[in-house]
């Protein structure tokens, strides 16, 4: 029987795991190597110590209603898209409300997590931590790893000949970026067009002499602001739209999406993407199209090589007098504290059962939380994983045999992709994945049953945004405020906009 649970990391996944452990009557201890909660979202000016954090100007890509904890809505006066300081304040409110801080040991680094000699029967782990230079050994019945996948900067210098040997300018990874002031008046080349690459290019364009953005992948750009000014994710991530995606042929679904993307601006004209593209990524950025249109950002293909002060591109063009190269090339994850025999069981998150459990482990007492890419909020995914995992630890839910878990992993694991730019296509559907884990946890709502008992709520769930509150209507952890939270989600979305009310009662309105 699992009682004592070690939680590694006090970011969003760690906080959710702590709360879920307490809900199930478990005894969690969370180890956080820094001095505060928030993980990636706790901004600091310093880049020392290798801790990855957001840059100063970042704003969430997913709205507050689609990203919040399922039984703790964001304050109604918070804007729909949150800067990092407001998101961190929300985390603090959550931690205070559920009394989580007393279970966290700050400034404590986990050095090793190893199976105990009797692991085959006990499932227990030896955990060694270090605080202020003093090491301590612990025995835990289970471990939840909540450090996410933004751990170590991916800096593929070998793919850019000359950057280390000939180039005389500065180069750095976006992990070191804090604000644009250090780049004022310089000619900057940004390599990579994920959400970070797009954001930093736009920000740099306001102060730099010139910004070049090098991309090698077909990229579709859309805005956080949808039709009629509502958050895009609240409009798009609905069960009705999800049903249409399932019902229609994939080719038709793809054509509809590309047509919708191009209704804002023609991506081929801007050199971003073609409707014929099979490998592509999607980023969120309202300002990038205008920066391209105004020439403050110039789009370039992949870099072929660097000289002392120039970048040569694969189309034969050259840009001279490059001062700084900023690599927005993502991150890689690793778990150096796990013993090799455990790390070898999964080479990436696709080798994990439901992206959570190593299926070949003798006892299911190790869970990886938040190591998943979704088309919606990863925060919601991490909380749902934590609810499922703690139910298993508490003994009221079970995993299938290892053979069935391995079969499920192999069935869903796509072919190996050699080109890392194709990773975007490996993102999981937000609703599909959350529903899958919710079914495992016994908390997925039934729209048909609700249609008979509560038609108003059923219609709001099916045609409205798939907000996290839906997963608190039934099952363990049912929350009495879930129905009201769903029916008032649009009011909370509009409330922060009502700072000046206009009379819109004219005829024909």
């Amino acid at each position: 029987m699992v009682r004592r649970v070690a939680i590694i990391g006090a970011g969003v996944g760690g906080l959710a795991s702590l709360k879920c452990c307490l809900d199930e009557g478990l005894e969690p201890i969370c180890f956080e190597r820094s001095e505060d909660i928030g993980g990636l979202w706790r901004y600091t000016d310093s880049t020392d110590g290798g801790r990855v954090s957001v840059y100063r100007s970042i704003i969430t890509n997913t709205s507050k209603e689609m990203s919040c904890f399922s039984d703790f809505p964001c304050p109604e006066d918070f804007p729909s898209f949150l800067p990092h300081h407001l998101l961190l304040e929300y985390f603090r409110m959550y931690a205070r409300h559920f009394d989580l801080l007393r279970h966290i040991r700050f400034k404590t680094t986990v050095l090793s997590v190893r199976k105990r000699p009797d692991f085959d029967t006990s499932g227990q782990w030896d955990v060694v931590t270090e605080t202020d230079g003093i090491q301590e050994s612990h025995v835990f019945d289970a471990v939840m790893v909540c450090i996410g996948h933004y751990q170590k900067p991916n800096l593929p210098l070998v793919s850019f000949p000359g950057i280390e040997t000939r180039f005389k300018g500065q180069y750095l990874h976006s992990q070191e970026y804090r604000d644009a002031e250090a780049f004022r008046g310089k000619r900057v080349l940004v390599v990579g067009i994920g959400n970070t690459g797009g954001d930093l290019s736009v920000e740099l364009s306001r102060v730099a002499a010139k910004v070049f953005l090098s991309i090698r992948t077909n990229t579709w750009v859309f805005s956080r602001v949808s039709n009629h000014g509502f958050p895009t994710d609240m409009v798009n991530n609905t069960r009705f739209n999800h049903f249409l995606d399932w019902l229609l042929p994939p080719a038709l679904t793809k054509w509809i999406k590309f047509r919708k993307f191009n209704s804002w601006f023609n991506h081929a004209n801007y050199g971003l993407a073609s409707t014929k593209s099979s490998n592509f990524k999607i980023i969120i950025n309202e300002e990038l199209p205008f920066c391209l249109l105004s020439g403050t950002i110039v789009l370039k293909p992949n870099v072929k090589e660097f000289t002392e002060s120039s970048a040569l591109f694969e189309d034969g063009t050259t840009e001279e007098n490059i001062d700084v190269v900023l690599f927005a090339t993502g991150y890689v994850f690793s778990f150096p504290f796990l013993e090799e025999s455990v790390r070898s069981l999964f080479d990436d998150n696709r080798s994990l059962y439901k992206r959570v459990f190593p299926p070949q482990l003798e006892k299911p007492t190790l869970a990886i939380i938040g190591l998943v890419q979704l088309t919606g909020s990863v925060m919601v995914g991490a909380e749902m994983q934590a609810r499922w995992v703690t139910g298993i630890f508490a003994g009221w839910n079970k995993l299938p045999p290892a053979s069935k878990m391995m079969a499920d992993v192999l069935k869903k694991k796509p072919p190996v992709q050699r080109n890392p730019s194709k990773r975007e296509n490996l993102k999981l559907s937000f609703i599909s994945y959350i529903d899958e884990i919710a079914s495992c946890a016994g908390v997925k709502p039934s729209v048909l049953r609700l249609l008979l008992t509560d038609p108003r709520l059923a219609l709001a769930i099916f045609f409205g945004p798939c907000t996290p509150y839906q997963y608190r209507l039934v099952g363990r952890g049912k929350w009495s405020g879930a129905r009201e939270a769903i029916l008032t989600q649009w009011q909370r979305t509009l409330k922060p906009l009502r700072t000046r009310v206009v009379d819109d009662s004219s005829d024909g309105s």
Side-chain angles (χ1 to χ4, degrees), residues 39-266:
L40 175 77
W41 285 99
R42 184 171 65 83
Y43 170 81
T44 56
D45 289 321
S46 173
T47 59
D48 296 337
R51 193 183 78 85
V52 176
S53 76
V54 294
Y55 40 93
R56 188 191 301 274
S57 62
I58 196 169
I59 295 175
T60 57
N61 285 332
T62 52
S63 64
K64 67 176 183 181
E65 294 296 316
M66 298 295 291
S67 306
C68 63
F69 295 107
S70 56
D71 56 354
F72 193 75
C74 264
E76 63 176 9
D77 59 335
F78 275 29
S80 283
F81 294 97
L82 305 178
H84 60 79
H85 69 277
L86 281 183
L87 185 59
L88 183 60
E89 177 57 28
Y90 172 66
F91 293 160
R92 296 193 199 285
M93 295 166 62
Y94 180 78
R96 288 193 297 266
H97 183 78
F98 293 109
D99 195 20
L100 304 181
L101 295 178
R102 64 189 179 94
H103 300 280
I104 304 175
R105 295 190 183 181
F106 292 107
K107 296 183 179 180
T108 301
T109 301
V110 175
L111 299 180
S112 68
V113 176
R114 298 183 177 277
K115 292 189 280 188
R116 301 209 80 205
D118 62 347
F119 182 83
D120 289 356
T121 55
S122 70
Q124 290 182 324
W125 301 86
D126 284 320
V127 178
V128 178
T129 61
E130 183 177 79
T131 308
D132 296 329
I134 300 175
Q135 293 189 10
E136 185 178 358
S137 296
H138 318 259
V139 176
F140 285 98
D141 300 311
V143 176
M144 301 176 75
V145 180
C146 307
I147 59 177
H149 53 268
Y150 295 101
Q151 298 170 29
K152 182 180 178 182
N154 175 39
L155 197 58
L157 300 180
V158 68
S159 300
F160 300 92
I163 187 70
E164 295 180 278
T165 57
R166 286 175 285 174
F167 185 62
K168 301 298 184 183
Q170 177 189 8
Y171 66 86
L172 69 159
H173 189 273
S174 58
Q175 183 256 341
E176 300 178 63
Y177 181 94
R178 287 298 175 265
D179 58 44
E181 193 56 37
F183 301 84
R184 182 172 295 276
K186 296 183 178 181
R187 290 168 62 84
V188 183
L189 170 61
V190 178
V191 177
I193 194 178
N195 285 315
T196 298
D199 284 350
L200 299 190
S201 297
V202 168
E203 184 167 313
L204 289 168
S205 71
R206 303 186 183 110
V207 301
K210 197 71 174 181
V211 175
F212 303 96
L213 176 57
S214 170
I215 70 173
R216 62 179 180 179
T217 308
N218 281 288
T219 303
W220 297 91
V221 184
F222 71 99
S223 170
R224 296 175 183 87
V225 185
S226 185
N227 298 337
H228 307 293
F230 293 113
T232 294
D233 58 352
M234 293 185 72
V235 173
N236 289 345
N237 277 335
T238 69
R239 293 188 178 278
F240 174 70
N241 288 341
H242 182 65
F243 173 72
L244 289 182
D245 286 344
W246 172 82
L247 183 67
L248 299 175
L252 179 57
T253 300
K254 179 181 174 182
W255 179 83
I256 292 172
K257 288 182 178 178
F258 284 0
R259 184 178 176 85
K260 184 176 182 179
F261 291 152
N262 270 336
S263 66
W264 182 23
F265 69 95
N266 188 302

